[in-house]
């Protein structure tokens, strides 16, 4: 199993390891319903990973959290933290329901399949023994993927939060406005695993930079050329500053949308800089 690597003193390392292994032994007995004190190494590792995830402990670098846990009853702390996970499941489920009830005007099979699979997550998720796992299939791509370091219900909840921002933005536009852009982006956007938000957001930012009306979303050849000229011979930092301002303008008073668009603008700035001012990102 994973060795504890930490800046804790050797004595602290040994004490923390002893407390964790004692808690693991208890978990194994509960997991086997008292029938055995041993399980396969892979199962023991999974149970230990679940304990650490629930406790908020990184075995690779326990740091101050490790010291906090040394002074606490780990069994009580684990019970308390499980209640937090239960609460996160409730909040995540509410977010999932709201997403399913407010889908964007355009459809994508991967998004529908992902939401359907997440619907079973709340039933399959084992926050007692396998809290770090994600028992569902998440195929729909986000414009800003959830960091891989996130696990369990926290990963799913963050995925849903980001998807909620994306879909809320898409619902600003009519089916016809969205289809005009998405068919230029990918003719089979309904069936392929692709993100619906990003091409729409990119064009929305471009329209804002030009001071043009927000719809139609599609760009004319003249607008693409005007944007290419605007960014030609500029630094990446200058390009990003303009895109970030456009993101705030497009988002208006919606802070979550503004932050999300700004993060997308940072990636877009890199793409534009690499193209040396080319307008091929605009649809």
């Amino acid at each position: 199993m994973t060795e504890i690597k930490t800046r804790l003193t050797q004595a602290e390392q040994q004490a923390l390891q002893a407390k964790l292994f004692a808690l693991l032994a208890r978990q194994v007995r509960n997991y086997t319903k008292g029938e055995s004190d041993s399980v396969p190494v892979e199962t023991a590792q999974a149970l230990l990973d679940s304990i650490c995830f629930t406790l908020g402990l990184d075995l690779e670098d326990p740091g101050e959290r490790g010291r906090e846990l040394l002074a606490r009853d780990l069994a009580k702390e684990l019970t308390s933290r499980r209640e937090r996970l239960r609460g996160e499941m409730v909040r995540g489920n509410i977010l999932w329901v709201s997403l399913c009830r407010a889908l964007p005007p355009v459809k994508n099979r991967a998004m529908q399949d992902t939401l359907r699979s997440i619907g079973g997550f709340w039933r399959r998720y084992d926050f007692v023994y396998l809290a770090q796992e994600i028992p569902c299939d998440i195929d729909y791509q986000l414009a800003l993927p959830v960091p891989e370091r996130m696990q369990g219900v926290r990963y799913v909840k963050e995925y849903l939060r980001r998807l909620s921002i994306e879909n809320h933005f898409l619902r600003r536009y009519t089916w016809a406005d969205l289809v005009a852009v998405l068919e230029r982006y990918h003719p089979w956007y309904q069936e392929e695993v692709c993100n619906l938000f990003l091409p729409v957001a990119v064009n929305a930012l471009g329209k804002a930079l030009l001071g043009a009306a927000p719809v139609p979303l599609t760009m004319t050849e003249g607008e693409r050329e005007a944007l290419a000229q605007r960014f030609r011979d500029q630094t990446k930092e200058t390009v990003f500053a303009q895109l970030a301002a456009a993101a705030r303008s497009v988002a208006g008073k919606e802070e979550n949308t503004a932050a999300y668009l700004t993060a997308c603008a940072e990636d877009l700035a890199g793409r534009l800089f690499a193209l040396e001012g080319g307008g091929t990102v605009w649809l």
Side-chain angles (χ1 to χ4, degrees):
M1 290 185 288
T2 305
E3 293 292 330
I4 296 178
K5 298 177 182 178
T6 173
R7 295 186 181 89
L8 300 180
T9 66
Q10 185 174 4
E12 288 173 326
Q13 291 182 45
Q14 292 172 345
L16 180 59
Q17 182 168 295
K19 293 186 73 169
L20 284 173
F21 284 177
L23 190 58
L24 175 60
R26 174 177 170 174
Q27 278 288 88
V28 168
R29 287 192 296 274
N30 291 338
Y31 181 77
T32 62
K33 297 181 173 57
E35 295 180 2
S36 176
D37 288 331
S38 64
V39 291
V41 172
E42 294 79 6
T43 302
Q45 183 66 63
L47 292 173
L48 181 60
D49 289 344
S50 178
I51 289 171
C52 291
F53 169 76
T54 304
L55 292 174
L57 177 68
D58 180 0
L59 275 180
E60 297 298 320
D61 182 18
E64 288 305 310
R65 180 58 180 161
R67 287 194 175 88
E68 289 176 9
L69 292 175
L70 279 172
R72 298 184 185 183
D73 182 322
L74 288 196
K76 290 182 179 179
E77 184 74 8
L78 189 65
T79 299
S80 174
R81 289 278 178 150
R82 281 178 182 159
E83 287 307 306
R84 293 191 190 183
L85 290 180
R86 192 194 300 273
E88 292 192 58
M89 288 177 63
V90 171
R91 291 188 291 275
N93 193 20
I94 291 171
L95 182 54
W96 171 76
V97 170
S98 68
L99 265 168
C100 292
R101 290 177 176 174
L103 293 172
V106 288
K107 307 301 180 186
N108 174 270
R109 184 180 298 277
M111 183 191 295
Q112 293 173 323
D113 289 347
T114 294
L115 286 173
R116 188 179 301 111
S117 184
I118 291 176
F121 170 86
W122 317 111
R123 181 179 66 256
R124 294 188 294 267
Y125 182 55
D126 184 354
F127 68 94
V128 175
Y129 296 112
L130 299 171
Q132 80 284 10
E133 295 192 355
I134 304 171
C136 64
D137 297 320
I138 299 179
D139 296 324
Y140 181 72
Q141 300 172 350
L142 296 173
L144 299 175
V146 178
E148 292 184 2
R149 67 178 181 276
M150 299 192 77
Q151 296 177 298
V153 67
R154 289 176 189 141
Y155 181 99
V156 174
K157 196 152 112 334
E158 178 62 15
Y159 177 91
L160 292 172
R161 186 190 74 83
R162 295 182 184 214
L163 181 59
S164 178
I165 293 171
E166 292 190 6
N167 284 0
H168 175 73
F169 185 79
L170 291 173
R171 292 201 311 275
R172 290 182 172 196
Y173 302 97
T174 67
W175 176 86
D177 289 330
L178 294 171
V179 167
V181 171
L182 292 171
E183 286 188 340
R184 290 185 178 186
Y185 170 63
H186 199 311
W188 300 282
Y189 71 87
Q190 296 183 75
E191 300 297 327
E192 295 295 321
V193 179
C194 60
N195 180 262
L196 303 180
F197 166 83
L198 192 56
V200 174
V202 167
N203 270 31
L205 293 176
K207 290 284 185 175
L209 285 167
L210 294 171
V215 291
L217 275 166
T218 51
M219 295 283 182
T220 66
E221 189 59 40
E223 287 174 326
R224 283 194 288 270
E225 179 57 29
L227 287 166
Q229 291 289 343
R230 182 186 187 113
F231 293 122
R232 189 160 290 139
D233 300 325
Q234 293 196 30
T235 66
K236 182 179 177 180
E237 290 72 22
T238 302
V239 172
F240 172 64
Q242 294 182 61
L243 289 170
R248 292 190 293 272
S249 173
V250 170
K253 296 181 180 180
E254 297 177 0
E255 293 183 3
N256 287 338
T257 300
Y260 205 84
L261 283 172
T262 300
C264 291
E266 186 172 6
D267 177 69
L268 178 58
R271 290 163 59 193
L272 286 169
F273 183 71
L275 291 169
E276 297 182 352
T280 56
V281 299
W282 317 106
L283 300 170

